[in-house]
Amino acid sequence: MKQKLEPIHRQEPTLEDGMLFVRTEGILQTMVRAPIILAGLIIVAVMMPLQYSFSSTRALDVTVYPDGSTHVMSVIEVDPLEPDYTVKLYGKTIDNFVAQSEDGDFLLSSVNENTATVETFGISTILVNYDIHDLVSKEGRIWTFSIEAPSNFGVLMPKNSVIVGMSGIPISLETIDEQSKITLPSGQNQIDYIFSSPVTNPPVTPPQSQSSSFDSTLVIIGAGIAAAGIGGAVAIQKTKKRAPKVEKTTTTTSVSDKPLDAETIFQLRPDLREDDKEIVTFLFENGGQALESELRKKFLQPRTTMWRAVKRLERYGVIDIEKKDLQNLVKLKSKLEEEQ
């Protein structure tokens, strides 16, 4: 029986246990594909920060008003390929929410508790403005402003406010029109402050002797009685002669509806902003009322800016807002309660 002989070059080499045999076929193709894969990883790594920047906060400013409400203004970069963007708000009690494009065009938006959805297709930057009542807590004289910000931001404190405590070290501190402007880092921040209003003493009248004041009082009383008697006699004679004609009903009713003058309002509301004082002065000189559209034309302000100013004056109790022919009629009040 003949044994079949195989060529030596076809015999499979015997491998020892534990050794791994790696085929060298396709190494050239793998070496060609490796740079392509590496380039793809580099592109992905570069694109990830760009995608993140589409939804980053570029600027954030907060204005704290004397009544504890605050105004938030933020500039946000968004993805222009997305149909809408969800803005996270800093509370649930939101008023006057307005979203605009970088060109100043108003964007459609809807607010749902602490978020707002803005239609942003084709837009890369949006400007968001709104008023909020959740950022300031009040405990006695000490009021506390607190916020968790995604980036560095600025806070404009109200006039006559004194900062008594802060949770961290501010980046910068400056004074603008007697108001403190503080720049704070991102993260959780808290500011404790109180109000210090200057005390004005009433003018002191020089003392008078008892005899002179008593004599002057008697003279005034006697003159008043005499004038009343003469006036009563004249009135009786006039009523007897001109009884049928009664035409004095319109002059007395308008006194109670007469708006307060601007100086009285400024004394009762010393914390009003300068631009708000200009609006009050114009309303008083215009007979105590004006349409909101007239105010925008007078002060050359956009609709949202003037609406915020009108709402501030309403919160201070200075004006009333009424509807007239589908427009807002702004009227000065005839009575103003003093702040406590």
Side-chain angles (χ1 to χ4, degrees):
M1 183 175 181
K2 295 182 179 181
Q3 185 177 2
K4 185 177 180 182
L5 299 177
E6 294 182 0
I8 297 176
H9 66 275
R10 288 188 177 182
Q11 291 182 355
E12 297 291 339
T14 58
L15 300 176
E16 297 181 2
D17 294 339
M19 295 183 63
L20 179 64
F21 176 71
V22 179
R23 300 179 63 88
T24 59
E25 296 178 1
I27 292 179
L28 183 60
Q29 296 179 357
T30 304
M31 293 177 64
V32 172
R33 293 174 182 174
I36 299 176
I37 297 174
L38 181 60
L41 293 175
I42 294 174
I43 293 174
V44 171
V46 172
M47 289 299 295
M48 287 179 64
L50 292 177
Q51 291 176 356
Y52 178 77
S53 66
F54 282 147
S55 60
S56 61
T57 301
R58 194 168 66 186
L60 177 62
D61 286 301
V62 180
T63 302
V64 183
Y65 296 130
D67 61 351
S69 62
T70 54
H71 178 75
V72 177
M73 187 281 295
S74 60
V75 180
I76 306 173
E77 294 182 353
V78 299
D79 188 352
L81 300 180
E82 293 293 332
D84 51 37
Y85 177 75
T86 301
V87 182
K88 182 180 179 182
L89 308 178
Y90 297 102
K92 297 182 179 180
T93 55
I94 307 298
D95 289 329
N96 309 323
F97 182 88
V98 176
Q100 296 175 271
S101 66
E102 54 190 344
D103 297 329
D105 298 328
F106 292 98
L107 305 177
L108 295 177
S109 60
S110 61
V111 178
N112 183 14
E113 293 187 349
N114 63 338
T115 60
T117 303
V118 183
E119 295 186 6
T120 58
F121 184 74
I123 297 172
S124 59
T125 303
I126 61 174
L127 174 65
V128 174
N129 284 274
Y130 60 91
D131 296 327
I132 186 171
H133 307 276
D134 296 338
L135 299 183
V136 175
S137 60
K138 307 173 184 179
E139 294 184 3
R141 287 194 60 193
I142 298 179
W143 292 12
T144 302
F145 164 81
S146 59
I147 188 175
E148 184 175 0
S151 62
N152 297 348
F153 67 103
V155 181
L156 184 64
M157 302 297 293
K159 287 185 179 180
N160 299 326
S161 63
V162 179
I163 299 175
V164 296
M166 297 183 66
S167 60
I169 301 176
I171 298 175
S172 64
L173 178 61
E174 57 182 329
T175 302
I176 301 177
D177 295 334
E178 301 180 359
Q179 293 180 262
S180 298
K181 176 68 178 293
I182 309 170
T183 303
L184 296 171
S186 60
Q188 185 67 41
N189 288 273
Q190 179 175 307
I191 301 176
D192 299 327
Y193 63 97
I194 61 175
F195 285 98
S196 62
S197 57
V199 179
T200 57
N201 296 322
V204 180
T205 57
Q208 297 180 355
S209 61
Q210 295 182 355
S211 59
S212 60
S213 60
F214 180 74
D215 294 339
S216 60
T217 304
L218 290 178
V219 172
I220 293 172
I221 294 174
I225 294 174
I230 297 173
V234 173
I236 292 173
Q237 291 179 358
K238 287 185 177 181
T239 52
K240 288 181 179 180
K241 293 180 179 179
R242 300 180 180 180
K245 296 182 180 180
V246 179
E247 298 179 353
K248 294 184 179 182
T249 57
T250 58
T251 56
T252 57
T253 55
S254 61
V255 175
S256 60
D257 297 335
K258 183 179 180 181
L260 286 175
D261 61 279
E263 293 300 327
T264 302
I265 294 175
F266 299 156
Q267 292 177 2
L268 296 176
R269 295 294 184 269
D271 296 329
L272 286 179
R273 296 165 44 164
E274 292 301 324
D275 49 354
D276 294 342
K277 290 182 179 180
E278 294 178 0
I279 296 175
V280 171
T281 302
F282 174 75
L283 290 174
F284 178 73
E285 294 175 352
N286 198 50
Q289 63 182 11
L291 294 174
E292 186 181 341
S293 58
E294 296 176 351
L295 296 177
R296 293 198 301 268
K297 294 178 182 178
K298 170 64 179 178
F299 297 99
L300 301 177
Q301 295 290 345
R303 182 187 300 270
T304 54
T305 303
M306 183 55 63
W307 173 247
R308 288 196 297 268
V310 169
K311 294 297 289 185
R312 280 196 304 270
L313 293 174
E314 185 183 33
R315 286 198 301 269
Y316 276 109
V318 174
I319 64 167
D320 288 322
I321 304 176
E322 300 178 359
K323 287 292 183 181
K324 182 179 180 181
D325 298 333
L326 301 179
Q327 297 189 62
N328 292 327
L329 180 63
V330 183
K331 300 176 61 176
L332 288 176
K333 287 189 175 182
S334 58
K335 294 181 180 180
L336 203 62
E337 297 180 357
E338 295 185 3
E339 291 184 335
Q340 296 182 353

